[in-house]
Amino acid sequence: YVPNDVRLDVDGPRLMVITGPNMAGKSTTMRQTALAVILAQLGSYVPAASARIGVCDRIYTRVGASDNLAAGQSTFMIEMQETVAILRGATRRSLVILDEIGRGTSTYDGLSIAWAVAEYLHDAVQCRCLFATHYHELCDLAEMRGGVVNYNVAAREHGQDVVFLHRLVPGAANRSYGIAVARLAGFPEIVLAR
């Protein structure tokens, strides 16, 4: 377990764009934040050195991949439907957890959807939101919106290997280490080289 600080405030930085490699801990950090909020709302112990958690009316999550073949719905369609439910239901007091919105379509369309969703949640809904993405362009939102901050889950390179530190640090990641993760998965060297 690696403890990480998460600071979101409806009157300050409320949308955290989280970048970094796959397997580094973006989803875990978001899930542990949501679980801490649920525990606090129940009046239970929160596993933290300290926690100040405001009232949260709802927690919305869009994490993972699934499809519904019987209904003819692709993974991307399910993702879009769940995102619509969030956009329609979230309030200023909600916590929204979004993991890689827009990944199931073309890069341009996916980035456009992710950007528009992030802007809408920041500008219109004004909720607290953790938004994990591999679209590094979304980090530019922090320069355009006062309530957006960039964080990344740290990783270190050692030759061709990457070590995941599982530590949330300020700033945007400079890359996603997709090839390094493919190497860890056991891709043949000829495929990695290509």
Side-chain angles (χ1 to χ4, degrees), residues 60 80-90:
Y60 287 99
M80 293 298 96
Q81 290 174 333
E82 290 177 0
T83 303
V84 166
I86 293 168
L87 297 176
R88 290 184 177 162

Side-chain angles (χ1 to χ4, degrees), residues 130-146:
L130 297 172
F131 198 117
T133 187
H134 287 285
Y135 295 132
H136 294 257
E137 296 86 349
L138 287 180
C139 295
D140 292 346
L141 281 168
E143 297 172 15
M144 302 172 198
R145 303 287 195 285

Side-chain angles (χ1 to χ4, degrees), residues 15-169:
L15 193 148
M16 182 184 290
V17 175
I18 305 172
T19 52
N22 287 309
M23 296 180 26
K26 295 183 302 293
S27 299
T28 301
T29 298
M30 294 191 307
R31 288 176 178 146
Q32 73 187 23
T33 301
L35 288 170
V37 170
I38 291 168
L39 289 170
Q41 300 293 309
L42 292 169
S44 180
Y45 168 78
V46 175
S50 68
R52 189 169 143 219
I53 301 172
V55 174
C56 192
D57 64 358
R58 296 172 186 95
I59 297 176
Y60 287 99
T61 64
R62 174 51 229 146
V63 178
S66 62
D67 57 26
N68 185 346
L69 296 178
Q73 295 176 320
S74 67
T75 301
F76 182 69
M77 180 57 148
I78 298 292
E79 177 183 311
M80 293 298 96
Q81 290 174 333
E82 290 177 0
T83 303
V84 166
I86 293 168
L87 297 176
R88 290 184 177 162
T91 72
R92 191 166 195 257
R93 288 278 174 208
S94 298
L95 173 63
V96 175
I97 307 293
L98 298 172
D99 197 1
E100 298 186 39
I101 293 297
R103 68 179 163 217
T105 189
S106 72
T107 302
Y108 181 78
D109 287 352
L111 173 58
S112 298
I113 290 167
W115 188 286
V117 167
E119 276 186 341
Y120 183 81
L121 291 172
H122 178 276
D123 297 349
V125 179
Q126 299 180 354
C127 62
R128 293 163 286 183
C129 178
L130 297 172
F131 198 117
T133 187
H134 287 285
Y135 295 132
H136 294 257
E137 296 86 349
L138 287 180
C139 295
D140 292 346
L141 281 168
E143 297 172 15
M144 302 172 198
R145 303 287 195 285
V148 178
V149 292
N150 291 318
Y151 276 78
N152 75 87
V153 184
R156 295 288 180 261
E157 292 179 80
H158 291 286
Q160 291 186 333
D161 295 328
V162 62
V163 176
F164 305 115
L165 303 178
H166 308 292
R167 170 76 52 204
L168 195 62
V169 296

